[in-house]
C-alpha cells in the first residue's frame, strides 16, 4: 500500500463530491434557482439510468460486450451502447421538462435548465462514480493489509482464476488512476449541463432537431473518449475530452443569451 495512492484516492473523492456541490451552491447563490430543479435532475438520472439502464448495460457488456472486445464488432458494440445511453438519458431529460417542470410552474429558462442539469450530473458523480471509487479505495486499503498471494492460495483454482487478476489490479493501483477519475468528473459536468440546455431548446422552441443535437453530441462524447482510451491511452483521450468540455461550456454560455423566460 503506497501513501501516494492513498492521497490520490482522497483527493479524487474530495473532487468528485465537492466539485459538483460547490458549482451547484454557486449557481443557487447567484441565480436563486430552486432546489426542486436540482432534485428533478437527480430523480431523472435515477429513474432513467441509475436503477434501470446502467445495471442492464453492465449485464449486456458482461454477457455480450466481452465476447466482442477483441473482434471486428467491438466498435459497433461501443456505438450501439453509447447511442442507447444517449437516447435514454436525453429522453429522460425531455420527460422531466414535459412532466415535472409544470408541476410547480417552472419556466423553461437558462437558470432552471442549468440547475436541472446540475442535479443530473451531481447524482451521477456523487452517488455512482464517487461511490464506486470509495468502494475501490476500501478494497485497496483492505488488500494492502493482507498477503495477497497467501489469500489466493487459500482459494480454489476456479476462484483464483476468476478473481486473481482483479485483486492484483486493485493492489497494484498507481497514484494516477484515482486522479484520472477525478479529472474525468471535472470534465463531465459541463457536458451534462450543455445537454440539459439543448434538450430544453427542443421544448422551448418546439423544434425536435435540438433534441437530436443533444443525442448526437452525447453520442460523440460517449464514443470518442472511451474509443481513444483504447487506441491511444488516457492522456490523449482526456485531452480531447477537455476540448469537448470547453465546447460544452461555450454552449452553456452561448445559450444564456438565446434562452428567454428568466424568472
Amino acid at each position: 500500500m503506497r501513501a501516494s495512492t492513498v492521497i490520490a484516492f482522497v483527493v479524487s473523492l474530495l473532487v468528485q463530491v465537492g466539485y459538483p456541490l460547490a458549482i451547484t451552491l454557486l449557481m443557487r447563490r447567484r441565480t436563486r434557482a430552486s432546489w426542486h430543479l436540482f432534485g428533478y435532475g437527480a430523480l431523472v438520472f435515477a429513474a432513467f439510468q441509475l436503477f434501470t439502464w446502467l445495471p442492464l448495460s453492465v449485464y449486456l457488456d458482461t454477457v455480450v460486450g466481452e465476447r466482442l472486445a477483441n473482434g471486428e464488432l467491438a466498435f459497433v458494440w461501443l456505438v450501439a451502447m453509447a447511442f442507447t445511453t444517449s437516447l435514454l438519458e436525453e429522453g429522460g431529460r425531455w420527460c422531466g421538462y414535459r412532466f415535472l417542470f409544470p408541476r410547480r410552474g417552472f419556466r423553461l429558462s437558462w437558470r432552471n435548465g442549468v440547475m436541472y442539469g446540475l442535479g443530473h450530473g451531481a447524482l451521477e458523480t456523487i452517488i455512482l462514480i464517487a461511490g464506486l471509487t470509495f468502494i475501490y479505495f476500501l478494497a485497496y486499503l483492505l488488500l494492502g493489509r493482507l498477503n495477497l498471494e497467501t489469500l489466493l492460495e487459500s482459494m480454489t483454482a476456479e476462484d483464483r482464476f476468476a478473481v486473481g487478476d482483479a485483486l492484483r489490479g486493485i493492489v497494484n493501483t498507481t497514484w494516477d488512476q484515482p486522479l484520472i477519475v477525478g479529472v474525468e468528473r471535472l470534465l463531465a459536468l459541463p457536458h451534462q449541463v450543455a445537454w440539459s440546455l439543448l434538450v430544453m431548446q427542443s421544448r422551448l422552441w418546439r423544434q425536435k432537431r435540438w433534441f437530436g443535437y443533444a443525442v448526437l453530441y452525447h453520442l460523440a462524447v460517449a464514443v470518442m473518449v472511451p474509443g481513444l482510451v483504447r487506441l491511444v491511452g488516457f492522456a490523449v483521450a482526456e485531452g480531447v475530452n477537455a476540448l469537448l468540455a470547453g465546447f460544452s461550456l461555450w454552449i452553456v454560455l452561448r445559450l444564456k443569451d438565446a434562452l428567454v423566460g428568466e424568472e
Side-chain angles (χ1 to χ4, degrees), residues 121-146:
L123 186 69
E124 179 185 42
T125 297
I126 296 172
I127 300 298
L128 180 61
I129 307 302
L132 292 175
T133 302
F134 182 68
I135 293 172
Y136 197 98
F137 182 34
L138 291 180
Y140 176 78
L141 293 175
L142 176 62
L143 292 172
R145 295 179 177 275
L146 301 175

PDB file of all heavy atoms in Angstrom, residues 121-146:
ATOM      1  N   GLY A 121     -26.101  15.699 -13.199  1.00  0.00           N
ATOM      2  CA  GLY A 121     -24.667  15.432 -13.163  1.00  0.00           C
ATOM      3  C   GLY A 121     -24.143  15.177 -11.764  1.00  0.00           C
ATOM      4  O   GLY A 121     -23.244  14.350 -11.568  1.00  0.00           O
ATOM      5  N   ALA A 122     -24.704  15.872 -10.766  1.00  0.00           N
ATOM      6  CA  ALA A 122     -24.230  15.706  -9.391  1.00  0.00           C
ATOM      7  C   ALA A 122     -24.549  14.318  -8.866  1.00  0.00           C
ATOM      8  O   ALA A 122     -23.710  13.685  -8.213  1.00  0.00           O
ATOM      9  CB  ALA A 122     -24.843  16.770  -8.488  1.00  0.00           C
ATOM     10  N   LEU A 123     -25.761  13.826  -9.119  1.00  0.00           N
ATOM     11  CA  LEU A 123     -26.099  12.489  -8.634  1.00  0.00           C
ATOM     12  C   LEU A 123     -25.229  11.435  -9.299  1.00  0.00           C
ATOM     13  O   LEU A 123     -24.764  10.496  -8.637  1.00  0.00           O
ATOM     14  CB  LEU A 123     -27.577  12.189  -8.898  1.00  0.00           C
ATOM     15  CG  LEU A 123     -28.054  10.861  -8.302  1.00  0.00           C
ATOM     16  CD1 LEU A 123     -28.072  10.940  -6.780  1.00  0.00           C
ATOM     17  CD2 LEU A 123     -29.423  10.467  -8.820  1.00  0.00           C
ATOM     18  N   GLU A 124     -24.990  11.594 -10.589  1.00  0.00           N
ATOM     19  CA  GLU A 124     -24.131  10.644 -11.292  1.00  0.00           C
ATOM     20  C   GLU A 124     -22.740  10.599 -10.660  1.00  0.00           C
ATOM     21  O   GLU A 124     -22.177   9.526 -10.427  1.00  0.00           O
ATOM     22  CB  GLU A 124     -24.010  11.030 -12.768  1.00  0.00           C
ATOM     23  CG  GLU A 124     -23.105  10.105 -13.561  1.00  0.00           C
ATOM     24  CD  GLU A 124     -22.899  10.571 -14.979  1.00  0.00           C
ATOM     25  OE1 GLU A 124     -22.713  11.787 -15.196  1.00  0.00           O
ATOM     26  OE2 GLU A 124     -22.919   9.722 -15.883  1.00  0.00           O
ATOM     27  N   THR A 125     -22.186  11.775 -10.372  1.00  0.00           N
ATOM     28  CA  THR A 125     -20.830  11.839  -9.839  1.00  0.00           C
ATOM     29  C   THR A 125     -20.757  11.423  -8.378  1.00  0.00           C
ATOM     30  O   THR A 125     -19.937  10.588  -7.994  1.00  0.00           O
ATOM     31  CB  THR A 125     -20.272  13.266 -10.001  1.00  0.00           C
ATOM     32  OG1 THR A 125     -20.185  13.580 -11.390  1.00  0.00           O
ATOM     33  CG2 THR A 125     -18.884  13.370  -9.383  1.00  0.00           C
ATOM     34  N   ILE A 126     -21.637  11.984  -7.543  1.00  0.00           N
ATOM     35  CA  ILE A 126     -21.537  11.775  -6.096  1.00  0.00           C
ATOM     36  C   ILE A 126     -21.960  10.369  -5.686  1.00  0.00           C
ATOM     37  O   ILE A 126     -21.292   9.712  -4.875  1.00  0.00           O
ATOM     38  CB  ILE A 126     -22.371  12.824  -5.347  1.00  0.00           C
ATOM     39  CG1 ILE A 126     -21.804  14.221  -5.598  1.00  0.00           C
ATOM     40  CG2 ILE A 126     -22.402  12.533  -3.853  1.00  0.00           C
ATOM     41  CD1 ILE A 126     -22.668  15.343  -5.053  1.00  0.00           C
ATOM     42  N   ILE A 127     -23.066   9.893  -6.231  1.00  0.00           N
ATOM     43  CA  ILE A 127     -23.578   8.588  -5.826  1.00  0.00           C
ATOM     44  C   ILE A 127     -22.916   7.456  -6.602  1.00  0.00           C
ATOM     45  O   ILE A 127     -22.436   6.480  -6.011  1.00  0.00           O
ATOM     46  CB  ILE A 127     -25.107   8.519  -6.006  1.00  0.00           C
ATOM     47  CG1 ILE A 127     -25.789   9.600  -5.161  1.00  0.00           C
ATOM     48  CG2 ILE A 127     -25.620   7.125  -5.635  1.00  0.00           C
ATOM     49  CD1 ILE A 127     -25.547   9.456  -3.676  1.00  0.00           C
ATOM     50  N   LEU A 128     -22.873   7.575  -7.906  1.00  0.00           N
ATOM     51  CA  LEU A 128     -22.384   6.467  -8.728  1.00  0.00           C
ATOM     52  C   LEU A 128     -20.857   6.409  -8.786  1.00  0.00           C
ATOM     53  O   LEU A 128     -20.239   5.448  -8.315  1.00  0.00           O
ATOM     54  CB  LEU A 128     -22.963   6.572 -10.139  1.00  0.00           C
ATOM     55  CG  LEU A 128     -22.533   5.475 -11.118  1.00  0.00           C
ATOM     56  CD1 LEU A 128     -22.964   4.102 -10.613  1.00  0.00           C
ATOM     57  CD2 LEU A 128     -23.098   5.737 -12.504  1.00  0.00           C
ATOM     58  N   ILE A 129     -20.232   7.454  -9.330  1.00  0.00           N
ATOM     59  CA  ILE A 129     -18.788   7.408  -9.560  1.00  0.00           C
ATOM     60  C   ILE A 129     -18.009   7.491  -8.246  1.00  0.00           C
ATOM     61  O   ILE A 129     -17.112   6.678  -7.992  1.00  0.00           O
ATOM     62  CB  ILE A 129     -18.352   8.531 -10.511  1.00  0.00           C
ATOM     63  CG1 ILE A 129     -19.184   8.499 -11.800  1.00  0.00           C
ATOM     64  CG2 ILE A 129     -16.869   8.368 -10.842  1.00  0.00           C
ATOM     65  CD1 ILE A 129     -19.116   7.191 -12.559  1.00  0.00           C
ATOM     66  N   ALA A 130     -18.351   8.458  -7.398  1.00  0.00           N
ATOM     67  CA  ALA A 130     -17.656   8.563  -6.108  1.00  0.00           C
ATOM     68  C   ALA A 130     -17.935   7.340  -5.239  1.00  0.00           C
ATOM     69  O   ALA A 130     -17.053   6.883  -4.494  1.00  0.00           O
ATOM     70  CB  ALA A 130     -18.079   9.832  -5.378  1.00  0.00           C
ATOM     71  N   GLY A 131     -19.140   6.794  -5.332  1.00  0.00           N
ATOM     72  CA  GLY A 131     -19.457   5.587  -4.574  1.00  0.00           C
ATOM     73  C   GLY A 131     -18.589   4.410  -4.993  1.00  0.00           C
ATOM     74  O   GLY A 131     -18.043   3.689  -4.143  1.00  0.00           O
ATOM     75  N   LEU A 132     -18.437   4.226  -6.289  1.00  0.00           N
ATOM     76  CA  LEU A 132     -17.583   3.145  -6.785  1.00  0.00           C
ATOM     77  C   LEU A 132     -16.120   3.397  -6.429  1.00  0.00           C
ATOM     78  O   LEU A 132     -15.388   2.457  -6.074  1.00  0.00           O
ATOM     79  CB  LEU A 132     -17.741   3.019  -8.295  1.00  0.00           C
ATOM     80  CG  LEU A 132     -19.111   2.515  -8.793  1.00  0.00           C
ATOM     81  CD1 LEU A 132     -19.174   2.562 -10.313  1.00  0.00           C
ATOM     82  CD2 LEU A 132     -19.366   1.097  -8.298  1.00  0.00           C
ATOM     83  N   THR A 133     -15.695   4.652  -6.518  1.00  0.00           N
ATOM     84  CA  THR A 133     -14.320   4.987  -6.146  1.00  0.00           C
ATOM     85  C   THR A 133     -14.065   4.686  -4.678  1.00  0.00           C
ATOM     86  O   THR A 133     -12.999   4.160  -4.313  1.00  0.00           O
ATOM     87  CB  THR A 133     -14.027   6.476  -6.429  1.00  0.00           C
ATOM     88  OG1 THR A 133     -14.255   6.754  -7.819  1.00  0.00           O
ATOM     89  CG2 THR A 133     -12.585   6.831  -6.081  1.00  0.00           C
ATOM     90  N   PHE A 134     -15.029   5.000  -3.822  1.00  0.00           N
ATOM     91  CA  PHE A 134     -14.881   4.754  -2.388  1.00  0.00           C
ATOM     92  C   PHE A 134     -14.791   3.257  -2.094  1.00  0.00           C
ATOM     93  O   PHE A 134     -13.965   2.822  -1.274  1.00  0.00           O
ATOM     94  CB  PHE A 134     -16.062   5.372  -1.638  1.00  0.00           C
ATOM     95  CG  PHE A 134     -15.967   5.221  -0.149  1.00  0.00           C
ATOM     96  CD1 PHE A 134     -14.997   5.892   0.581  1.00  0.00           C
ATOM     97  CD2 PHE A 134     -16.866   4.398   0.530  1.00  0.00           C
ATOM     98  CE1 PHE A 134     -14.899   5.749   1.961  1.00  0.00           C
ATOM     99  CE2 PHE A 134     -16.779   4.250   1.903  1.00  0.00           C
ATOM    100  CZ  PHE A 134     -15.791   4.921   2.614  1.00  0.00           C
ATOM    101  N   ILE A 135     -15.625   2.472  -2.745  1.00  0.00           N
ATOM    102  CA  ILE A 135     -15.569   1.019  -2.565  1.00  0.00           C
ATOM    103  C   ILE A 135     -14.219   0.476  -3.026  1.00  0.00           C
ATOM    104  O   ILE A 135     -13.608  -0.375  -2.363  1.00  0.00           O
ATOM    105  CB  ILE A 135     -16.723   0.344  -3.339  1.00  0.00           C
ATOM    106  CG1 ILE A 135     -18.067   0.715  -2.708  1.00  0.00           C
ATOM    107  CG2 ILE A 135     -16.546  -1.169  -3.367  1.00  0.00           C
ATOM    108  CD1 ILE A 135     -19.265   0.270  -3.509  1.00  0.00           C
ATOM    109  N   TYR A 136     -13.734   0.968  -4.153  1.00  0.00           N
ATOM    110  CA  TYR A 136     -12.430   0.546  -4.672  1.00  0.00           C
ATOM    111  C   TYR A 136     -11.322   0.942  -3.696  1.00  0.00           C
ATOM    112  O   TYR A 136     -10.377   0.177  -3.453  1.00  0.00           O
ATOM    113  CB  TYR A 136     -12.206   1.199  -6.034  1.00  0.00           C
ATOM    114  CG  TYR A 136     -11.117   0.561  -6.872  1.00  0.00           C
ATOM    115  CD1 TYR A 136     -11.439  -0.355  -7.872  1.00  0.00           C
ATOM    116  CD2 TYR A 136      -9.778   0.879  -6.686  1.00  0.00           C
ATOM    117  CE1 TYR A 136     -10.462  -0.936  -8.656  1.00  0.00           C
ATOM    118  CE2 TYR A 136      -8.787   0.298  -7.457  1.00  0.00           C
ATOM    119  CZ  TYR A 136      -9.134  -0.603  -8.452  1.00  0.00           C
ATOM    120  OH  TYR A 136      -8.155  -1.183  -9.211  1.00  0.00           O
ATOM    121  N   PHE A 137     -11.449   2.126  -3.116  1.00  0.00           N
ATOM    122  CA  PHE A 137     -10.472   2.610  -2.138  1.00  0.00           C
ATOM    123  C   PHE A 137     -10.443   1.700  -0.908  1.00  0.00           C
ATOM    124  O   PHE A 137      -9.369   1.332  -0.411  1.00  0.00           O
ATOM    125  CB  PHE A 137     -10.831   4.043  -1.747  1.00  0.00           C
ATOM    126  CG  PHE A 137      -9.884   4.691  -0.783  1.00  0.00           C
ATOM    127  CD1 PHE A 137      -8.521   4.407  -0.803  1.00  0.00           C
ATOM    128  CD2 PHE A 137     -10.352   5.599   0.167  1.00  0.00           C
ATOM    129  CE1 PHE A 137      -7.636   5.022   0.090  1.00  0.00           C
ATOM    130  CE2 PHE A 137      -9.487   6.211   1.058  1.00  0.00           C
ATOM    131  CZ  PHE A 137      -8.128   5.906   1.025  1.00  0.00           C
ATOM    132  N   LEU A 138     -11.624   1.337  -0.409  1.00  0.00           N
ATOM    133  CA  LEU A 138     -11.682   0.430   0.738  1.00  0.00           C
ATOM    134  C   LEU A 138     -11.048  -0.919   0.409  1.00  0.00           C
ATOM    135  O   LEU A 138     -10.332  -1.499   1.248  1.00  0.00           O
ATOM    136  CB  LEU A 138     -13.144   0.228   1.172  1.00  0.00           C
ATOM    137  CG  LEU A 138     -13.855   1.431   1.793  1.00  0.00           C
ATOM    138  CD1 LEU A 138     -15.280   1.062   2.172  1.00  0.00           C
ATOM    139  CD2 LEU A 138     -13.097   1.956   3.007  1.00  0.00           C
ATOM    140  N   ALA A 139     -11.306  -1.415  -0.804  1.00  0.00           N
ATOM    141  CA  ALA A 139     -10.695  -2.683  -1.213  1.00  0.00           C
ATOM    142  C   ALA A 139      -9.178  -2.552  -1.277  1.00  0.00           C
ATOM    143  O   ALA A 139      -8.446  -3.481  -0.876  1.00  0.00           O
ATOM    144  CB  ALA A 139     -11.256  -3.107  -2.567  1.00  0.00           C
ATOM    145  N   TYR A 140      -8.698  -1.403  -1.771  1.00  0.00           N
ATOM    146  CA  TYR A 140      -7.248  -1.176  -1.836  1.00  0.00           C
ATOM    147  C   TYR A 140      -6.631  -1.166  -0.439  1.00  0.00           C
ATOM    148  O   TYR A 140      -5.575  -1.776  -0.203  1.00  0.00           O
ATOM    149  CB  TYR A 140      -6.976   0.154  -2.544  1.00  0.00           C
ATOM    150  CG  TYR A 140      -5.513   0.538  -2.586  1.00  0.00           C
ATOM    151  CD1 TYR A 140      -4.650  -0.066  -3.499  1.00  0.00           C
ATOM    152  CD2 TYR A 140      -5.001   1.499  -1.723  1.00  0.00           C
ATOM    153  CE1 TYR A 140      -3.299   0.274  -3.544  1.00  0.00           C
ATOM    154  CE2 TYR A 140      -3.665   1.849  -1.757  1.00  0.00           C
ATOM    155  CZ  TYR A 140      -2.819   1.238  -2.675  1.00  0.00           C
ATOM    156  OH  TYR A 140      -1.477   1.576  -2.701  1.00  0.00           O
ATOM    157  N   LEU A 141      -7.293  -0.502   0.510  1.00  0.00           N
ATOM    158  CA  LEU A 141      -6.787  -0.455   1.883  1.00  0.00           C
ATOM    159  C   LEU A 141      -6.799  -1.832   2.528  1.00  0.00           C
ATOM    160  O   LEU A 141      -5.836  -2.230   3.204  1.00  0.00           O
ATOM    161  CB  LEU A 141      -7.623   0.512   2.720  1.00  0.00           C
ATOM    162  CG  LEU A 141      -7.544   1.999   2.351  1.00  0.00           C
ATOM    163  CD1 LEU A 141      -8.523   2.796   3.209  1.00  0.00           C
ATOM    164  CD2 LEU A 141      -6.125   2.532   2.511  1.00  0.00           C
ATOM    165  N   LEU A 142      -7.879  -2.576   2.322  1.00  0.00           N
ATOM    166  CA  LEU A 142      -8.004  -3.900   2.921  1.00  0.00           C
ATOM    167  C   LEU A 142      -6.965  -4.867   2.355  1.00  0.00           C
ATOM    168  O   LEU A 142      -6.261  -5.553   3.116  1.00  0.00           O
ATOM    169  CB  LEU A 142      -9.414  -4.441   2.699  1.00  0.00           C
ATOM    170  CG  LEU A 142      -9.681  -5.867   3.199  1.00  0.00           C
ATOM    171  CD1 LEU A 142      -9.487  -5.944   4.711  1.00  0.00           C
ATOM    172  CD2 LEU A 142     -11.086  -6.306   2.814  1.00  0.00           C
ATOM    173  N   LEU A 143      -6.875  -4.919   1.033  1.00  0.00           N
ATOM    174  CA  LEU A 143      -5.929  -5.846   0.409  1.00  0.00           C
ATOM    175  C   LEU A 143      -4.483  -5.456   0.688  1.00  0.00           C
ATOM    176  O   LEU A 143      -3.591  -6.314   0.707  1.00  0.00           O
ATOM    177  CB  LEU A 143      -6.171  -5.901  -1.100  1.00  0.00           C
ATOM    178  CG  LEU A 143      -7.493  -6.540  -1.526  1.00  0.00           C
ATOM    179  CD1 LEU A 143      -7.718  -6.375  -3.029  1.00  0.00           C
ATOM    180  CD2 LEU A 143      -7.524  -8.013  -1.149  1.00  0.00           C
ATOM    181  N   GLY A 144      -4.265  -4.141   0.918  1.00  0.00           N
ATOM    182  CA  GLY A 144      -2.911  -3.696   1.245  1.00  0.00           C
ATOM    183  C   GLY A 144      -2.425  -4.204   2.589  1.00  0.00           C
ATOM    184  O   GLY A 144      -1.216  -4.255   2.851  1.00  0.00           O
ATOM    185  N   ARG A 145      -3.366  -4.603   3.455  1.00  0.00           N
ATOM    186  CA  ARG A 145      -3.007  -5.123   4.779  1.00  0.00           C
ATOM    187  C   ARG A 145      -2.911  -6.644   4.801  1.00  0.00           C
ATOM    188  O   ARG A 145      -2.586  -7.232   5.834  1.00  0.00           O
ATOM    189  CB  ARG A 145      -4.034  -4.652   5.811  1.00  0.00           C
ATOM    190  CG  ARG A 145      -4.048  -3.138   6.010  1.00  0.00           C
ATOM    191  CD  ARG A 145      -5.093  -2.736   7.028  1.00  0.00           C
ATOM    192  NE  ARG A 145      -5.072  -1.300   7.271  1.00  0.00           N
ATOM    193  CZ  ARG A 145      -4.263  -0.691   8.126  1.00  0.00           C
ATOM    194  NH1 ARG A 145      -3.405  -1.413   8.839  1.00  0.00           N
ATOM    195  NH2 ARG A 145      -4.305   0.614   8.300  1.00  0.00           N
ATOM    196  N   LEU A 146      -3.235  -7.263   3.669  1.00  0.00           N
ATOM    197  CA  LEU A 146      -3.205  -8.719   3.592  1.00  0.00           C
ATOM    198  C   LEU A 146      -2.066  -9.193   2.708  1.00  0.00           C
ATOM    199  O   LEU A 146      -1.539  -8.425   1.889  1.00  0.00           O
ATOM    200  CB  LEU A 146      -4.537  -9.244   3.026  1.00  0.00           C
ATOM    201  CG  LEU A 146      -5.814  -8.884   3.802  1.00  0.00           C
ATOM    202  CD1 LEU A 146      -7.022  -9.379   3.036  1.00  0.00           C
ATOM    203  CD2 LEU A 146      -5.785  -9.474   5.194  1.00  0.00           C
TER     204      LEU A 146
END
